[in-house]
């Protein structure tokens, strides 16, 4: 039990520290790397809470795909972050006021929050006994039965995203150089090699 | 299949949606394996698919819920789905020739319209917050892509990007609202939410959730103050896409709006009525005044649609069965008018290409009197002049508002309708009395068909008013 507590505080501290570094790091690449650190430690927290499926998903989806994508974007797009930050102080008052209003609203809302009597004992979907079924099995059991409708619509949404990405970005240019394996294989020494002679030192080839 | 039917006994109620989902994938395959040359074929098949879905929808027996109450089919849903399917079929039909002439015929275009239609049908049938969100996202994502589908045009790309960014923001607000509602009621099902509220009464958090939810939905039907994207997106998108945007998605979002506030938030109707009264007044007034200065006819139609959504919301603000009946009737007539008007706009083509300035219409009465006549009828109808259909649409929502003692709302509505008549009449004046320019190239057959059907519908509406009114009353009564 004491070991669990130690790991909890370890993961929690590193997560908060890494999250803080994400928004303060000067180098955007470092920020993304700290983000990955935060994700991995959050996955550890999920493990401790017994939600191993969420932990795996967090690693696979967020670290494996999303964070790597961020890294690509940061490295490939030449964004001038110094210029982006230049207006920071000018916008601080307005942004601060908006932030405070949102905070006040959240407090108002949370302040009126009460757990309805009987809500804990009578959930929409009771949690199965964790000794009987594993985490993944329990999720799968309701995702592919009761919630299969939502699952399928989510699939249709992903299909639209894929179709959209192809429609909007795929260019079939005639001038683009493409690999033609047939042409490559059909080459013979006669067509592929040119023998040159009479080259004077230091002059190079003509034309 | 047997197990599926024991799990979901009423699966046949969702048959039109299943057909659209599978059909859209088949269409994608046909398009992809024919090397992108089968746009005409895919368009034809997409229309056939939508017609088949509509036919099955009409012949489906029984009503009820499927998927543990997440999906509902009642008379209201069937009626609104028929409107949505009509809007989508007409939008595809009007696009075929345009796409060929403008040389960006992509087979994905009709497929995306089918997918968007699937999303809209899920919105109409939503009886759960998760269905609501997923339906909206399926529809919106398809619409973002459609807005930017002419990717070689800067305006189209800008329209798509703008729509996407603002749409994502509105989805965020909507989700925040939904999560608050779930947090304070413990339910995502509309019936469950209404029961939880009837039991525990309203709370501050719930009102916050309602406000965010209404904001997200208001964005989808583009009413003030969430209307900013509409003129830019309407102007920038290719015209057939604009025609689609202004018809079917509005009907679906309005149907969803009605169902959410009537089914889920009935116990706190006083709270949402205030919000709807405000956005209704703001939309009617802005729609009337901001349209006056427009020179581009697509921008003008954007403001016109903002105004019309405001008028339709007058009926919803009343919150009575007569009011909902008025909104449904309004959507029927709005769909007919707007599709007809866009058929006219799509016919504005000279030898040099498409034109979309209002002054390009000058002299139309001399060059093409039939087109000018139909356009005039549609403009009179949009302005709400009797005995055309637009008058009856406004009449029934205002009547419902007066019966619900919302006198100020009705008076402001009538006044802004008068102001709005100015810019519709200005178009008529330009067509009939201004000196002409070159004539347009002849209209293609399908535009003539759409324009003719729409023109005859708005002119002779009083002849078919009885059966239509009976159908809308049946749809409205199924909600109460």
């Amino acid at each position: 039990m004491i070991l669990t507590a130690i790991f909890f505080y370890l993961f929690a501290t590193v997560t908060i520290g890494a999250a803080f570094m994400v928004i303060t790091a000067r180098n955007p690449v470092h920020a993304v790397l700290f983000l990955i650190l935060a994700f991995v430690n959050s996955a550890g927290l999920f493990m401790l809470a017994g939600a191993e499926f969420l932990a795996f998903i967090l690693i696979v989806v967020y670290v494996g795909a999303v964070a790597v994508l961020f890294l690509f974007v940061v490295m490939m797009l030449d964004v001038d972050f110094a210029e982006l930050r230049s207006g920071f102080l000018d916008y601080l008052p307005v942004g601060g006021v908006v932030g405070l209003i949102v905070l006040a609203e959240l407090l108002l809302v949370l302040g009126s929050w009460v757990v309805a009597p009987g809500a804990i004992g009578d959930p929409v979907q009771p949690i199965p006994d964790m000794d009987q079924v594993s985490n993944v099995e329990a999720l799968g059991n309701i995702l592919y039965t009761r919630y299969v409708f939502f699952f399928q619509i989510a699939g249709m949404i992903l299909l639209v995203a894929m179709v959209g990405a192809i429609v909007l970005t795929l260019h079939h240019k005639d001038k683009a150089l493409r690999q033609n394996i047939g042409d490559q294989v059909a080459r013979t020494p006669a067509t592929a090699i040119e023998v040159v002679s009479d080259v004077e030192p230091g002059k190079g080839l003509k034309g | 299949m047997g197990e599926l039917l024991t799990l979901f006994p009423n699966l046949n109620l969702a048959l039109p949606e299943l057909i659209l989902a599978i059909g859209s994938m088949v269409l994608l395959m046909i398009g992809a394996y024919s090397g992108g040359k089968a746009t005409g074929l895919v368009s034809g098949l997409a229309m056939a698919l939508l017609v088949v879905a509509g036919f099955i929808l009409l012949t489906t027996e029984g009503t009820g819920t499927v998927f543990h109450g997440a999906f509902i089919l009642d008379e209201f849903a069937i009626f609104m789905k028929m409107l949505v399917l009509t809007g989508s079929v007409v939008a595809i039909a009007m696009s075929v020739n345009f796409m060929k002439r403008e040389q960006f015929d992509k087979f994905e275009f009709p497929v995306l319209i089918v997918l968007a239609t699937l999303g809209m049908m899920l919105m109409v049938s939503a009886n759960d917050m998760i269905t609501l969100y997923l339906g909206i996202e399926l529809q919106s994502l398809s619409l973002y892509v459609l807005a930017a589908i002419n990717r070689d045009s800067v305006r189209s790309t800008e329209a798509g990007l703008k729509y996407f960014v603002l749409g994502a923001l509105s989805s965020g607000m909507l989700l925040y609202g939904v999560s608050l509602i779930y947090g304070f009621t413990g339910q995502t099902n509309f019936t469950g939410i209404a029961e939880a509220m009837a039991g525990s009464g309203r709370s501050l958090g719930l009102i916050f959730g309602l406000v965010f939810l209404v904001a997200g939905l208001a964005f989808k039907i583009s009413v003030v103050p969430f209307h900013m994207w509409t003129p830019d997106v309407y102007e920038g998108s290719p015209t057939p896409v604009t025609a689609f945007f202004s018809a079917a998605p509005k009907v679906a979002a309005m149907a969803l709006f009605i169902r959410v506030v009537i089914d889920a938030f009935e116990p706190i109707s006083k709270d949402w009525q205030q919000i709807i009264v405000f956005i209704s007044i703001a939309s009617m007034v802005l729609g009337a005044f901001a349209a006056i200065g427009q020179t581009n006819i697509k921008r003008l139609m954007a403001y016109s649609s903002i105004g019309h959504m405001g008028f339709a919301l007058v009926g919803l603000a009343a919150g009575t069965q007569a009011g909902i009946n008025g909104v449904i009737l309004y959507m029927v007539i709005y769909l007919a008018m707007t599709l007809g008007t866009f058929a006219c706009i799509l016919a504005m083509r000279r030898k040099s290409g498409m034109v979309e300035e209002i002054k390009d219409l000058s002299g139309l009465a001399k060059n093409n009197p039939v087109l000018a006549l139909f356009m005039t009828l549609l403009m009179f109808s949009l302005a709400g002049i009797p005995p055309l259909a637009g008058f009856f649409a406004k009449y029934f929502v205002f009547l419902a508002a007066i019966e619900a003692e919302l006198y100020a709302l009705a008076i402001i509505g009538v006044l802004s309708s008068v102001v709005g008549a100015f810019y519709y009449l200005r178009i008529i004046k330009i067509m009939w009395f201004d000196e002409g320019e070159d004539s347009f190239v002849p209209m293609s057959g399908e535009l003539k068909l759409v324009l003719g059907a729409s023109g005859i519908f708005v002119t002779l509406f009083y002849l078919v008013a009885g059966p239509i009114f009976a159908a809308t009353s049946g749809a409205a009564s199924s909600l109460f």
Side-chain angles (χ1 to χ4, degrees), chain A residues 42-113:
Chain A
S42 314
L45 287 174
F46 275 131
M47 276 300 230
L48 288 180
E52 68 264 15
F53 182 69
L54 279 182
F56 296 147
I57 289 291
L58 198 66
I59 302 268
V60 173
V61 176
Y62 281 85
V63 179
V66 175
V68 172
L69 189 74
F70 280 174
L71 213 52
F72 268 123
V73 171
V74 167
M75 286 175 155
M76 291 174 87
L77 297 181
D78 187 20
V79 184
D80 189 350
F81 285 90
E83 194 184 324
L84 268 182
R85 288 217 184 87
S86 63
F88 182 71
L89 278 180
D90 298 340
Y91 295 119
L92 189 62
V94 180
V97 168
V98 172
L100 280 178
I101 292 172
V102 173
L103 182 69
E105 285 177 351
L106 279 174
L107 288 178
L108 263 174
V109 169
L110 287 178
S112 66
W113 188 73

Side-chain angles (χ1 to χ4, degrees), chain B residues 323-404:
Chain B
I324 302 303
N325 186 11
V327 182
I328 301 172
L329 191 67
Y330 204 106
M331 295 319 288
V332 177
I333 294 168
Y334 169 78
L335 191 76
M337 292 190 300
T338 195
L339 287 173
T341 312
F342 271 100
C344 289
I345 296 174
L346 279 163
M348 290 170 62
R349 171 190 292 282
R350 297 224 164 84
K351 288 197 182 69
S352 52
M354 292 294 293
V355 288
E356 40 192 62
E357 294 299 308
I358 294 172
K359 67 175 187 317
D360 290 316
L361 283 168
S362 54
L364 188 66
K366 283 204 194 77
N367 297 326
N368 192 342
V370 180
L371 179 61
L373 178 70
F374 274 100
M375 183 83 164
T376 308
L377 283 173
L378 287 167
M379 286 300 134
F380 274 132
S381 179
L382 282 169
I385 289 166
L388 300 170
F391 166 74
F392 293 101
K394 289 197 173 102
Y395 175 74
F396 283 107
V397 289
F398 289 143
L399 197 66
I402 289 169
E403 280 168 5

